[in-house]
Amino acid sequence: MADHKPQPKPTATSQILTAVLTAGAGWAAQKLVRTVWARRAGSAPKNAADPNVSAVAAVVFAAVAAAVGAIAQRAATRGAEKVAGRIHAPGARAVESTLRDSER
């Protein structure tokens, strides 16, 4: 079995960054999927509830959109963790205090 290290509790900064970046990544992923779908299929994706849409097309679009959304969410979460880690790094506080002291 693999040893699992306990994860540190997320900070407020990382939670806010994760929310903002995930929303932005979700929006970008939706635009990307719709644009690629329209270029490949020749038309924009239709409403899945429309009876004229084939079940295969609806399922394929849903699967592609979900996969791209999951990848975007994962990337946004990792990016937010990296940025928050840099903000809350031990050396970052020392630099901030040094800059404040030099301004006085």
Side-chain angles (χ1 to χ4, degrees):
M1 274 196 183
D3 292 330
H4 294 285
K5 296 179 183 176
Q7 296 293 323
K9 185 178 177 184
T11 63
T13 305
S14 68
Q15 290 176 337
I16 291 169
L17 283 171
T18 300
V20 169
L21 290 176
T22 300
W27 177 82
Q30 177 188 18
K31 291 292 186 184
L32 175 70
V33 169
R34 288 187 172 278
T35 301
V36 170
W37 186 272
R39 287 188 182 168
R40 298 296 255 167
S43 64
K46 297 178 176 79
N47 184 356
D50 184 357
N52 295 329
V53 174
S54 72
V56 173
V59 170
V60 169
F61 180 78
V64 169
V68 171
I71 291 168
Q73 181 181 15
R74 177 80 180 209
T77 302
R78 284 187 175 189
E81 288 172 357
K82 284 183 182 180
V83 170
R86 289 182 188 148
I87 291 171
H88 294 291
R93 295 196 191 277
V95 171
E96 289 173 6
S97 65
T98 303
L99 290 173
R100 277 194 302 259
D101 293 342
S102 67
E103 291 175 354
R104 292 181 190 171

